[in-house]
Amino acid sequence: MKRNVVLQLTGVERHYGQGETRLSILKGADFALSSGEIVALVAPSGTGKSTLLHVAGLLEHPDGGEVTINGCACEGLSDEKRTAVRRSEIGFVYQFHHLLPEFSALENIMMPQLISGLSWNEAAARAAQLLDYMRIGHRADHRPAELSGGEQQRVAIARAVANAPLVLLADEPTGNLDPDTAHYVFDALEALVRQSGLAALIATHNHELAARMDRRVTIHDGKVVEF
Ligand code: ADP
Ligand code: MG
């Protein structure tokens, strides 16, 4: 599979507060993520993992530097264009699933596709396929409350990639799961990435999971470094 850099952070700065209480979280952070690779982001709490993911996912603006998605420099874009890039190219998964409780697993995965204009049948077919990839096809008609934690997170991952983004960003997606379930969820995520050529950056505290990824990076002194 051809490898392209699909996410690039260049000299990213992020500060909170002002004056004496100013907190510099990212200080000229550089990072590149290529299609088909899964990278672990492992760093202690409070070092800026979520900040980095939010900036990379166009959910927050950096205070300096550039975020480039598939060759498109995003900082100069209008809000409207940024939102369009975010919707089409980025999938985001949080520690908590944030699935809609009134809808089935299948419907939750159909939702972003219906919003982006696919027909009901197209959305249902792709949602069913994604549930199969995540090995929960038999749970399609269940509502989130009827699913286990690991199943809920697999539905959340399927929903994040429903519109075939280039980049999957996950913020401690297995943080609420027991170790065996975390591995099971990661197995499914890995199968999906390998099959689709997606690029994934996954913040995790789980060193065993991190060891299974292609590369590991951390945040040190406001910069992204390999370890
Ligand atoms: P991590 O995800 O690695 O735990 P975060 O990116 O959430 O770290 O936070 C990094 C630091 O920035 C923390 O010290 C946090 O308190 C601070 N921080 C995060 N968001 C804000 C905010 N909106 N305002 C002020 N400080 C913030
Ligand atoms: Mg965090």
Side-chain angles (χ1 to χ4, degrees), residues 16-17 23 25 43-52 60 171-172 219:
Y16 294 114
L23 205 58
I25 305 303
S45 284
T47 46
K49 298 180 299 298
S50 296
T51 300
L52 185 86
E60 279 180 35
D171 198 354
E172 304 190 34
I219 299 172

Side-chain angles (χ1 to χ4, degrees), residues 47-86:
T47 46
K49 298 180 299 298
S50 296
T51 300
L52 185 86
L53 290 169
H54 291 162
V55 168
L58 309 182
L59 296 166
E60 279 180 35
H61 282 284
D63 296 301
E66 185 60 86
V67 179
T68 307
I69 308 286
N70 200 28
C72 172
C74 293
E75 280 317 301
L77 294 180
S78 64
D79 284 350
E80 200 183 342
K81 287 206 174 117
R82 256 174 90 83
T83 303
V85 172
R86 178 159 49 76

